[in-house]
């Protein structure tokens, strides 16, 4: 069983680095609406859409939490890198 005290401590520390969920969620959802309204959204593969949505979530954390928390930036690079590697692989299959 999970100790409720540990969860409260974790949540308190995350507010500092990630911002309050209720605040970041407004920004995240607005940005995701922009993504979904873009012309190429329907052409993207599920993992490409998910990567963009995860990047937006990290952006929300940067905008509402600690913008100097390196993990946010590294996560963005990681998601982008996964999709970029997949695109390179697809290019090699096509050629």
């Amino acid at each position: 069983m999970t100790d409720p005290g540990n969860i409260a401590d974790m949540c308190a520390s995350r507010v500092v680095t990630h911002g309050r969920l209720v605040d970041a969620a407004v920004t995240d959802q607005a940005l995701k609406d922009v993504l979904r309204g873009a012309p190429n959204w329907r052409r993207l593969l599920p993992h490409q859409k998910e990567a963009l949505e995860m990047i937006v979530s990290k952006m929300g954390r940067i905008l509402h939490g600690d913008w100097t928390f390196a993990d946010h930036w590294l996560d963005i690079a990681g998601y982008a890198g996964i999709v970029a590697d997949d695109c390179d692989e697809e290019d090699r299959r096509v050629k």
Side-chain angles (χ1 to χ4, degrees):
M1 186 161 164
T2 305
D3 177 9
N6 288 341
I7 292 172
D9 291 345
M10 179 193 66
C11 289
S13 70
R14 295 271 169 89
V15 167
V16 174
T17 56
H18 295 48
R20 289 179 356 119
L21 177 61
V22 296
D23 298 329
V26 172
T27 300
D28 292 0
Q29 291 303 309
L31 291 171
K32 288 177 183 180
D33 286 344
V34 171
L35 294 177
R36 293 180 191 120
N40 284 339
W41 181 256
R42 292 179 185 214
R43 298 180 68 197
L44 297 176
L45 298 173
H47 71 283
Q48 294 167 328
K49 291 178 181 179
E50 185 66 20
L52 285 173
E53 289 180 344
M54 292 303 298
I55 290 168
V56 163
S57 293
K58 303 307 176 179
M59 291 169 59
R61 291 176 179 182
I62 291 166
L63 295 171
H64 291 274
D66 182 355
W67 65 92
T68 67
F69 190 61
D71 281 0
H72 301 324
W73 299 99
L74 294 170
D75 287 346
I76 290 171
Y79 286 113
I82 290 168
V83 173
D85 288 346
D86 182 63
C87 291
D88 287 344
E89 187 176 310
E90 183 63 26
D91 284 346
R92 286 191 296 276
R93 282 194 296 258
V94 172
K95 290 179 182 175

